Amino acid sequence: MRALVAACCVAFFPVTVALAGDQVPVEAFAQRGGYSLPKLSPDGKYLAVAMEQGEDHAVVIYQLDDMSHVKSLLKMPKFQLPADLHWVGNDRLVVELAKFVGSLDRPELLGEIIATDVNGKHIDAMFSREWGLESHGQTRSTDEGYALVAGKPPKANDHFYMQTYMWGDENNSWLYDVNAGTGIRHMIGEIGVGDMDFTLDPDGNARYAYGVNKLNKYVTYRKQNDHWVQLADNGDDSRFVPLTFSQDKQHLYALTSTKGGPMALVQTDADGAQSQLLAKDDFSSIDHIQWTPQSVPFAAASATGIPNETMLDAKQPLAQIYQGLSKKFPGEFVDFSSFSEDGNMLVFEVSSDRNPGAYYLFDFKRMKIQKLFAETDSIDPAKMGERIPMHFKASDGTPLEAILTIPPGGSMNDLPMVLLPHGGPIDISDTWFFDNDAQFLASRGYLVLQINYRGSNGRGPAFAQDGYGKWGTRIQQDLIDGVKWAEAQHFADPKRVCVFGASFGGYSAMMTVIRAPGMFKCAIGYAGVYDLAMMYDKGDTHESTFGKNYLEQTIGKDPAELAANSPDKLADKIDVPVLLIHGEEDQRAPFAQAKAMRAALDAAHKPYEWLTKSGEGHGFYNEKNIVDMYQHVQAFLEKNIGPGGQAN
């Protein structure tokens, strides 16, 4: 063990200091390209990664003993990308597919799964419509539904478990054992509730099903005597989320919430009884769980703030290895990503507020650590700003988290500031980790303020649901309260504050200006929603039953309330210059939203600037368009609140 820990004690990064005036080119923040999702093959001979180069995506398989040798390259169709990679055998890889609807949203799962041999041959459809592939002599174009990988056997045998949901059927979820070599599937479980996730024991038995039903209510079921039994609903937003069974089948690990509070990590027996608390935080949910190859958690951290892993079992050998690595990457977060089946090879990621991420290989037998690649090579962490999470109290006394990004080399004293509201708004949050928009603004000398307002993720179900029906009211007040707090602390110069947001953040950019006249000097809305009633008629949210229920829960249906909280109906109250940025092919917040806001500003005789791009969706994806967008943002800020970090 001492030798293994000593192997961690190698310094990898030289210490460098960003020089004053050494401004990072805008292209560095616009570059799309890099590597992610590294997964070791069971025998540790190969490494599969997702590769992005500009607008092109692929799965690349490297021979681990010679990373310069590409074993195979599987290119994705345009706008598609690998969502996750799963080795099911030493020579067989399963790929879950996703697509981009724009740069602002997380990649949207297609519900399609394909498989490939390590040499790039025998590409086969496991569940796929768009690839037009055949499997075992049958086309998968008849798979009119949606599928996800639910798990794998503990020992790779070319099989995996797949959960499926069929279009037009909101009342059932199915589970299959799939042979990834032949594509043959056998049903091993089903439940008469739609959109459920299954938790399987190591023998492949479905023991739990959980998720949000068609009424947008979270439910959990346990298999009991061959029947599904719903766990007790106490009506207080309590939750039980079964994560995984240990490979010895003795324990179940789950996240639990009492009365809607932050999620805690617990260990129970196999039937969910005799619960033992492993980790909790009164302010934040538990996240960043580290697992052994035997599916036992050995460390966990809070979802908010700077993640500081707590060792659940300090005597666990991997816990000691983890602590050794963490000490040798000060200021960075270490995340165990993938093991070989024998546990002798480990891929781990190192990332931080300034570092988008880099991956390393730890060979336990050779006592050797090797850097594999960085997620992106366009960002120099030494030139990025520090991100500092803090707490403050909203005007009604609710404690909230704020994250400040400090310009590199600058002080936190009366700086020009940009409020950067996150999108969503429900169950999305800003974190301490690298944020492209915040770092771009900080690199231009602006203090950046982000608020995890009520409705945000990371604080438990009740905190997220507290944002329902409050899009234009309490959520905006939380943002305004955050600005007042930053000014009271003399972090921000009250005379030089602007707001810039994307998606729901674009909505907030207009609404904060309306709700707090005189506070801001300018507002930038990027791919925003500006007419709430329009969400029931245009865009893709209203097209599903889930989406319609979501809208009714979060914004309501009363026409007067929708109008009272829609920026395009309140344009006469906007007292600052506005910049509107939008993609003309946006399906989430359709281009009609931007045109409605523009028409309202015209009618109210308010000044604004306009930047749109054809072919772009919910957020710009083309690198040239991103550069143009950032340049417009920088010029607009300089015109209205002055150059960053300089006094007027």
Side-chain angles (χ1 to χ4, degrees), residues 171-175 189-198 208-210 219-222 228-229:
N171 300 315
N172 291 284
S173 303
W174 292 269
L175 182 67
E190 63 177 314
I191 185 172
V193 185
D195 293 327
M196 292 292 102
D197 290 325
F198 292 94
Y208 288 88
Y210 64 96
V219 292
T220 303
Y221 296 85
R222 182 173 62 230
W228 290 108
V229 178

Side-chain angles (χ1 to χ4, degrees), residues 492-567:
D493 179 352
K495 297 178 181 179
R496 293 185 292 161
V497 178
C498 187
V499 55
F500 165 38
S503 194
F504 177 82
Y507 168 85
S508 292
M510 300 300 114
M511 287 302 298
T512 50
V513 168
I514 293 166
R515 299 298 189 218
M519 174 173 281
F520 302 94
K521 301 304 179 185
C522 59
I524 306 171
Y526 177 28
V529 170
Y530 308 113
D531 186 326
L532 297 186
M534 189 187 295
M535 297 183 73
Y536 284 100
D537 301 314
K538 296 183 179 180
D540 57 10
T541 303
H542 75 282
E543 293 176 352
S544 67
T545 300
F546 177 88
K548 290 177 183 177
N549 289 337
Y550 170 83
L551 291 176
E552 290 181 12
Q553 285 183 326
T554 58
I555 64 175
K557 294 192 69 174
D558 180 65
E561 286 294 316
L562 294 174
N565 292 288
S566 292

Side-chain angles (χ1 to χ4, degrees), residues 281-300:
D281 184 315
D282 291 337
F283 181 84
S284 170
S285 293
I286 294 300
D287 200 356
H288 309 296
I289 303 170
Q290 306 298 323
W291 302 88
T292 71
Q294 293 76 36
S295 301
V296 176
F298 66 84

Side-chain angles (χ1 to χ4, degrees), residues 360-378:
Y360 294 80
L361 176 70
F362 194 164
D363 186 328
F364 287 82
K365 284 189 173 181
R366 299 180 184 178
M367 309 299 175
K368 179 181 178 182
I369 297 176
Q370 171 189 352
K371 185 174 181 179
L372 297 173
F373 49 79
E375 285 200 13
T376 177
D377 57 8
S378 67

Side-chain angles (χ1 to χ4, degrees), residues 200-372:
L200 295 82
D201 65 21
D203 294 329
N205 301 309
R207 302 285 294 274
Y208 288 88
Y210 64 96
V212 178
N213 63 21
K214 62 183 179 181
L215 299 177
N216 283 13
K217 182 177 178 58
Y218 182 87
V219 292
T220 303
Y221 296 85
R222 182 173 62 230
K223 197 67 170 293
Q224 187 171 316
N225 298 325
D226 293 326
H227 296 286
W228 290 108
V229 178
Q230 183 176 348
L231 300 190
D233 181 2
N234 298 323
D236 59 3
D237 293 324
S238 295
R239 291 193 180 184
F240 182 82
V241 184
L243 299 178
T244 188
F245 284 87
S246 59
Q247 287 189 12
D248 63 9
K249 297 180 285 186
Q250 297 300 306
H251 301 294
L252 170 71
Y253 299 99
L255 291 172
T256 64
S257 169
T258 302
K259 297 182 179 180
M263 305 292 288
L265 177 65
V266 300
Q267 171 187 295
T268 75
D269 62 20
D271 292 326
Q274 299 180 358
S275 178
Q276 175 187 349
L277 179 66
L278 298 179
K280 68 170 293 187
D281 184 315
D282 291 337
F283 181 84
S284 170
S285 293
I286 294 300
D287 200 356
H288 309 296
I289 303 170
Q290 306 298 323
W291 302 88
T292 71
Q294 293 76 36
S295 301
V296 176
F298 66 84
S302 297
T304 65
I306 299 175
N308 182 19
E309 293 279 16
T310 298
M311 297 302 109
L312 308 179
D313 180 1
K315 296 181 180 180
Q316 160 66 242
L318 279 177
Q320 298 180 34
I321 293 295
Y322 185 91
Q323 290 175 302
L325 287 170
S326 296
K327 288 179 181 178
K328 295 309 167 182
F329 290 95
E332 309 269 353
F333 178 75
V334 176
D335 186 34
F336 284 7
S337 175
S338 174
F339 289 93
S340 60
E341 197 166 83
D342 60 11
N344 288 328
M345 306 285 280
L346 162 69
V347 171
F348 65 93
E349 181 184 17
V350 172
S351 62
S352 71
D353 54 343
R354 309 181 202 203
N355 177 12
Y359 290 95
Y360 294 80
L361 176 70
F362 194 164
D363 186 328
F364 287 82
K365 284 189 173 181
R366 299 180 184 178
M367 309 299 175
K368 179 181 178 182
I369 297 176
Q370 171 189 352
K371 185 174 181 179
L372 297 173

Side-chain angles (χ1 to χ4, degrees), residues 180-191:
T182 65
I184 295 176
R185 62 179 75 148
H186 298 286
M187 190 172 73
I188 57 175
E190 63 177 314
I191 185 172

Side-chain angles (χ1 to χ4, degrees), residues 370-448:
Q370 171 189 352
K371 185 174 181 179
L372 297 173
F373 49 79
E375 285 200 13
T376 177
D377 57 8
S378 67
I379 297 296
D380 181 356
K383 296 181 179 180
M384 297 296 105
E386 182 181 4
R387 288 169 60 77
I388 305 176
M390 296 184 178
H391 291 178
F392 72 97
K393 285 189 176 181
S395 52
D396 66 353
T398 301
L400 298 175
E401 181 187 39
I403 301 174
L404 289 166
T405 306
I406 315 302
S411 64
M412 290 175 58
N413 190 22
D414 293 325
L415 289 170
M417 186 177 78
V418 179
L419 172 66
L420 187 65
H422 68 69
I426 308 301
D427 270 337
I428 303 294
S429 63
D430 292 312
T431 71
W432 168 78
F433 291 97
F434 184 89
D435 184 296
N436 208 64
D437 288 343
Q439 290 291 1
F440 168 73
L441 294 168
S443 76
R444 269 53 193 166
Y446 297 104
L447 176 69
V448 182

